[in-house]
Amino acid sequence: MAATELRGVVGPGPAAIAALGGGGAGPPVVGAGGGRGDSGPGSGAASGTVAAAATGGPGPGAGEWPAAGPAPAPPTGGSGGSGAGGSGSAREGWLFKWTNYIKGYQRRWFVLSNGLLSYYRSKAEMRHTCRGTINLATANITVEDSCNFIISNGGAQTYHLKASSEVERQRWVTALELAKAKAVKMLAESDESGDEESVSQTDKTELQNTLRTLSSKVEDLSTCNDLIAKHGTALQRSLSELESLKLPAESNEKIKQVNERATLFRITSNAMINACRDFLMLAQTHSKKWQKSLQYERDQRIRLEETLEQLAKQHNHLERAFRGATVLPANTPGSVGSGKDQCCSGKGDMSDEDDENEFFDAPEIITMPENLGHKRTGSNISGASSDISLDEQYKHQLEETKKEKRTRIPYKPNYSLNLWSIMKNCIGKELSKIPMPVNFNEPLSMLQRLTEDLEYHELLDRAAKCENSLEQLCYVAAFTVSSYSTTVFRTSKPFNPLLGETFELDRLEENGYRSLCEQVSHHPPAAAHHAESKNGWTLRQEIKITSKFRGKYLSIMPLGTIHCIFHATGHHYTWKKVTTTVHNIIVGKLWIDQSGEIDIVNHKTGDKCNLKFVPYSYFSRDVARKVTGEVTDPSGKVHFTLLGTWDEKMECFKVQPVIGENGGDARQRGHEAEESRVMLWKRNPLPKNAENMYYFSELALTLNAWESGTAPTDSRLRPDQRLMENGRWDEANAEKQRLEEKQRLSRKKREAEAMKATEDGTPYDPYKALWFERKKDPVTKELTHIYRGEYWDCKEKQDWSSCPDIF
């Protein structure tokens, strides 16, 4: 390629060398797009020759730009980056970006344009989602070794990048340094012109386009004004000629009025044009002030984020010092960060891992103390879980479990972790899209947490024996409140179940009931639950969890209806759950609150109970975690009032009507209500040393105990959860990664099959739950998953041939 031809495109000097350096055939990168670049109309290269040099493939001839239309698309590069692009990109191509300790370096598409370095998961993602951008004007570029380099803008953003070869790394570093020099120069010029704050090129361009549009509109108005003035003058001249003619006096009067109105119209149009000109001048005058204000707000936000992060770090340091706990140093032998990736400590950038991992919890491994009293293997696991079979490890407990339920689990490790460092980039997102390490979990799945609703099942047993429907409703209301009592200290997150995961709890002999849960959907996450008792009741529900991280707190909103049916009377009750809020996410001790209202309806009799969960307030003198309620008949008359707290107890008072001052009914009050007080429910005390066992209740401690004969999809058999319970958290993180990858492959396979069926025009059956069937509920008319039966028969026969392999 002739040097003159290159200079005609990108200019002489280092820029031309960088453009030439971007091409040529290099060693192929595993997983990278390779070889020849795509070419054709719409190529983003300023010249076909440059495109060919930059991508190692042929391109269109020089000057082959579309005559009109949208901006050309960037060229398709191979493993390396492209040269200058017609869309303004100085360089683009594949690089490997450090994400976290589990995923390591991940392949990302980087675009260098207008002094900004942006990255995407793929080229196709450039149309809709940018994963991150760093301004090179304030960035530092550091070379680590032959292939690695770092870009940082003072701590707020740091990219650890790896090229496929030393030559490729040098091409990128050269292009970045040139782009940085240009960005710094533009910033200096902006400062000299009086603009003290840096303004992004995008904002400038947008503002200039707006001003140009306003100018053109004012020009249009000015043209219209000239036409109006011209026609107005001609009209006045014609009217003057009419006045000189000998016309009746009445006609002259009319002509004079028309002449005056024409003059007023011209004056008004001139005033309108002048006002438009004044508006344009004001917009041009204040544009720099607006730019400064916008940049000031951006800087303030960055400073606030840094302050909050520093505050969170100081708080964690004080907590750790207070407890006297020590965290294992990163360079201790056997720790996760040792070895080749030791240099990458602190590199965990999880902000770009949200979409692909939207179903999962854990992208990071945290080191833990050695003195936990639990033996760990010396290496992480990426395939099978460990060198000791988990089934064999717990089979010896089977006979003991049958005779007596376990009363303890291994103690939780005692060390703190900076939650803010993980959550700060997740404000406004769904919890299922926030990548969380296993260290924030408890060793139970969401299916097991749903089953915990049955801890106070005796309330439903008592309700089934009630002959009065209103009294029965009081016990159902108490059961509803009791399901929240386990959450008061439980700030850890349960494991997200895998699609098709199940959990059974067979307490038919001891307590008269048995329960089954299944994860029936993964996007959105949804679990179906069915419990039946020989004491005369059935409980079923399908719960979808939606959640949002709001910065200081986390809101968890369960969606779905809970059904309770009593066999003897046919009474059918329904209700929905309230919102759970986790406070002090950034600084302070985590605490949980419940807020909202629950309406429990008896669809057979029309009786209702309204429960109000009062949100906690620092300024209120009321009882914390207070719940109030009223039980009414179909006419709205109150028969019982309920009072208590969702973490301790619920009482009811029978309302005896008394004669009011006007002869009407009035509520009883004071000592009269005390005489009818009935204790509906009181929370069981927590087991000894519960604070060291995730604050589990007696029921929760037994849920993950190994049992024989369960389905192969049962949560008890989930290896990462079992490893976490045993204190082997490093291995649990690695095992969780394996399970998530396996599930991701299954999802992609289903999507491919669905797409192929669509293309072929053949019918395709979407994923269906194994033990539940999705159909319209006869009472609420909602589409929900209802238990189809057969599970307990299959367990009796030990026929699990229809179960998928998810673990």
Side-chain angles (χ1 to χ4, degrees):
M1 174 174 169
T4 54
E5 185 179 2
L6 179 64
R7 284 196 294 272
V9 179
V10 295
I17 297 170
L20 276 172
V29 182
V30 176
R36 304 162 68 85
D38 297 334
S39 61
S43 170
S47 161
T49 315
V50 174
T55 63
E64 290 186 14
W65 282 92
T76 303
S79 61
S82 67
S87 60
S89 60
R91 186 172 185 80
E92 56 189 29
W94 293 106
L95 287 171
F96 291 89
K97 178 180 177 295
W98 176 265
T99 55
N100 52 64
Y101 280 109
I102 288 184
K103 295 209 175 278
Y105 283 95
Q106 295 291 314
R107 190 166 170 261
R108 298 288 181 260
W109 181 261
F110 279 78
V111 176
L112 175 60
S113 175
N114 297 323
L116 301 174
L117 181 65
S118 306
Y119 72 96
Y120 311 82
R121 284 187 187 278
S122 62
K123 279 197 68 176
E125 206 179 42
M126 289 175 64
R127 304 189 195 99
H128 51 82
T129 306
C130 178
R131 297 289 167 178
T133 300
I134 193 167
N135 191 342
L136 295 177
T138 57
N140 294 320
I141 303 168
T142 309
V143 176
E144 275 194 309
D145 53 34
S146 60
C147 296
N148 293 34
F149 58 103
I150 303 173
I151 304 173
S152 174
N153 64 354
Q157 289 173 291
T158 302
Y159 294 169
H160 295 260
L161 306 175
K162 184 196 292 186
S164 59
S165 64
E166 186 173 0
V167 174
E168 186 66 14
R169 185 219 66 195
Q170 190 56 45
R171 291 170 185 162
W172 271 102
V173 171
T174 303
L176 289 166
E177 291 288 357
L178 290 170
K180 177 182 176 180
K182 186 176 180 181
V184 170
K185 183 179 178 182
M186 289 174 62
L187 189 63
E189 290 173 355
S190 176
D191 289 340
E192 291 171 2
S193 66
D195 190 4
E196 298 175 355
E197 302 290 340
S198 63
V199 182
S200 70
Q201 191 67 26
T202 306
D203 293 337
K204 280 186 176 182
T205 305
E206 186 177 350
L207 193 63
Q208 288 168 358
N209 290 338
T210 304
L211 290 174
R212 275 198 295 270
T213 304
L214 286 172
S215 299
S216 66
K217 295 300 180 185
V218 171
E219 289 298 326
D220 293 344
L221 287 171
S222 181
T223 303
C224 293
N225 180 64
D226 293 342
L227 291 172
I228 290 170
K230 178 180 177 182
H231 293 308
T233 303
L235 179 61
Q236 285 181 325
R237 191 183 306 115
S238 300
L239 291 171
S240 299
E241 291 173 357
L242 284 174
E243 285 180 353
S244 64
L245 297 175
K246 292 181 179 181
L247 296 172
E250 186 178 347
S251 299
N252 287 332
E253 191 67 26
K254 291 288 184 183
I255 291 171
K256 190 178 292 185
Q257 288 179 4
V258 173
N259 200 357
E260 289 174 356
R261 288 174 182 172
T263 304
L264 286 172
F265 179 73
R266 188 172 61 181
I267 292 171
T268 304
S269 65
N270 285 332
M272 182 183 68
I273 296 299
N274 290 333
C276 290
R277 284 203 179 97
D278 292 343
F279 171 76
L280 181 61
M281 288 180 64
L282 280 172
Q284 291 172 333
T285 303
H286 292 283
S287 64
K288 291 183 178 179
K289 187 183 296 184
W290 295 338
Q291 292 172 11
K292 292 177 184 178
S293 299
L294 179 62
Q295 187 62 31
Y296 174 78
E297 293 298 329
R298 287 174 176 166
D299 292 344
Q300 284 288 90
R301 190 193 69 177
I302 292 172
R303 280 194 287 271
L304 180 60
E305 285 183 355
E306 291 173 348
T307 303
L308 284 173
E309 184 173 7
Q310 188 64 28
L311 185 61
K313 288 178 180 177
Q314 292 173 1
H315 176 80
N316 284 329
H317 176 74
L318 290 172
E319 273 190 345
R320 197 160 52 243
F322 177 76
R323 288 199 298 265
T326 57
V327 180
L328 185 67
N331 57 359
T332 302
S335 68
V336 176
S338 62
K340 188 177 186 297
D341 288 333
Q342 186 69 30
C343 63
C344 302
S345 61
K347 294 179 186 177
D349 181 359
M350 293 178 288
S351 61
D352 69 329
E353 300 302 320
D354 51 358
D355 275 2
E356 193 72 10
N357 296 342
E358 60 188 355
F359 304 141
F360 312 123
D361 309 335
E364 183 175 352
I365 294 180
I366 310 297
T367 56
M368 58 182 291
E370 291 286 356
N371 56 348
L372 295 176
H374 304 294
K375 184 179 178 181
R376 303 191 307 170
T377 58
S379 61
N380 293 335
I381 42 179
S382 58
S385 61
S386 97
D387 53 344
I388 301 174
S389 167
L390 294 175
D391 288 351
E392 292 177 6
Q393 189 175 351
Y394 286 93
K395 275 180 180 175
H396 72 274
Q397 298 179 358
L398 178 58
E399 293 302 323
E400 203 172 320
T401 303
K402 282 185 176 180
K403 296 174 185 176
E404 187 179 351
K405 303 297 180 186
R406 69 177 184 178
T407 58
R408 66 179 301 277
I409 59 174
Y411 283 0
K412 177 183 179 181
N414 183 22
Y415 69 97
S416 61
L417 190 64
N418 187 355
L419 181 60
W420 172 247
S421 65
I422 294 171
M423 302 284 279
K424 66 178 182 177
N425 294 321
C426 305
I427 296 176
K429 293 184 180 180
E430 271 193 48
L431 182 63
S432 59
K433 293 190 176 185
I434 298 178
M436 297 286 284
V438 72
N439 305 59
F440 293 111
N441 284 25
E442 61 181 18
L444 288 178
S445 75
M446 191 63 201
L447 302 181
Q448 291 164 316
R449 284 292 290 267
L450 269 182
T451 307
E452 280 190 73
D453 286 359
L454 298 171
E455 179 163 6
Y456 298 95
H457 61 90
E458 63 271 9
L459 291 170
L460 296 182
D461 295 343
R462 272 186 260 166
K465 297 175 182 177
C466 290
E467 297 180 358
N468 186 310
S469 64
L470 295 168
E471 292 179 5
Q472 187 180 69
L473 184 50
C474 290
Y475 282 106
V476 174
F479 174 78
T480 303
V481 176
S482 71
S483 65
Y484 294 97
S485 63
T486 60
T487 65
V488 62
F489 301 115
R490 301 269 288 277
T491 55
S492 297
K493 178 180 177 292
F495 278 74
N496 287 344
L498 303 173
L499 185 61
E501 186 174 333
T502 60
F503 178 73
E504 66 157 76
L505 186 66
D506 190 352
R507 296 289 170 88
L508 206 57
E509 294 181 5
E510 303 99 313
N511 306 116
Y513 73 87
R514 57 188 182 184
S515 162
L516 176 68
C517 291
E518 181 182 0
Q519 187 77 359
V520 295
S521 170
H522 228 331
H523 190 54
H529 179 207
H530 180 90
E532 54 190 17
S533 171
K534 63 183 181 182
N535 294 323
W537 54 264
T538 297
L539 184 78
R540 61 179 173 87
Q541 58 182 318
E542 180 183 345
I543 297 296
K544 301 179 181 69
I545 300 294
T546 62
S547 53
K548 287 289 184 180
F549 175 50
R550 307 293 185 182
K552 290 175 62 178
Y553 62 91
L554 178 73
S555 295
I556 302 168
M557 293 81 70
L559 306 177
T561 304
I562 304 169
H563 298 255
C564 183
I565 304 102
F566 292 96
H567 306 160
T569 59
H571 292 165
H572 190 137
Y573 297 90
T574 62
W575 66 91
K576 296 178 184 291
K577 289 181 176 284
V578 294
T579 298
T580 300
T581 307
V582 184
H583 294 271
N584 287 350
I585 294 293
I586 301 175
V587 175
K589 185 178 180 180
L590 292 175
W591 61 278
I592 288 178
D593 196 19
Q594 316 287 347
S595 60
E597 295 188 17
I598 294 178
D599 287 317
I600 307 173
V601 181
N602 185 335
H603 291 272
K604 184 177 180 181
T605 64
D607 301 334
K608 292 183 181 179
C609 176
N610 175 256
L611 293 172
K612 294 181 179 179
F613 288 68
V614 182
Y616 177 76
S617 171
Y618 290 108
F619 307 104
S620 174
R621 296 182 180 179
D622 216 339
V623 180
R625 309 182 185 97
K626 183 179 180 181
V627 180
T628 62
E630 291 183 342
V631 175
T632 60
D633 61 21
S635 65
K637 182 179 178 181
V638 179
H639 291 264
F640 292 93
T641 58
L642 305 177
L643 183 63
T645 58
W646 52 263
D647 67 322
E648 281 294 337
K649 63 181 180 179
M650 283 299 293
E651 299 173 328
C652 78
F653 304 87
K654 188 172 179 61
V655 176
Q656 300 289 348
V658 296
I659 304 300
E661 295 178 0
N662 300 324
D665 289 349
R667 301 264 185 100
Q668 71 181 115
R669 36 177 133 59
H671 64 279
E672 297 173 340
E674 288 294 323
E675 295 175 359
S676 64
R677 179 204 300 258
V678 175
M679 178 70 72
L680 296 173
W681 160 76
K682 188 174 183 180
R683 180 171 65 90
N684 297 327
L686 288 173
K688 186 179 179 181
N689 297 320
E691 67 277 7
N692 298 324
M693 298 182 290
Y694 308 89
Y695 287 99
F696 280 180
S697 63
E698 289 183 1
L699 175 63
L701 287 173
T702 67
L703 292 180
N704 208 42
W706 194 89
E707 292 184 13
S708 65
T710 59
T713 54
D714 196 271
S715 298
R716 298 176 181 88
L717 304 177
R718 182 165 172 166
D720 54 348
Q721 190 172 299
R722 179 68 67 191
L723 286 165
M724 183 196 174
E725 184 183 276
N726 278 342
R728 296 155 67 177
W729 286 18
D730 293 347
E731 297 172 55
N733 269 307
E735 182 64 10
K736 173 172 278 194
Q737 175 64 20
R738 181 187 69 83
L739 293 175
E740 291 167 358
E741 185 62 30
K742 182 175 182 178
Q743 183 171 240
R744 186 183 297 113
L745 292 174
S746 298
R747 175 173 59 87
K748 289 181 177 179
K749 182 180 178 182
R750 287 195 301 272
E751 291 172 353
E753 289 173 354
M755 186 176 295
K756 187 176 185 302
T758 304
E759 292 173 354
D760 297 343
T762 57
Y764 175 75
D765 291 332
Y767 177 83
K768 291 182 180 178
L770 186 57
W771 309 110
F772 290 80
E773 183 180 3
R774 192 166 188 260
K775 56 185 178 182
K776 183 180 286 188
D777 186 271
V779 175
T780 62
K781 308 303 179 186
E782 300 173 340
L783 277 175
T784 186
H785 282 84
I786 298 176
Y787 179 57
R788 69 168 81 224
E790 301 178 5
Y791 178 86
W792 302 107
D793 293 335
C794 289
K795 182 181 180 182
E796 187 176 348
K797 301 172 186 175
Q798 283 299 293
D799 178 13
W800 303 118
S801 56
S802 57
C803 291
D805 175 20
I806 60 173
F807 298 142

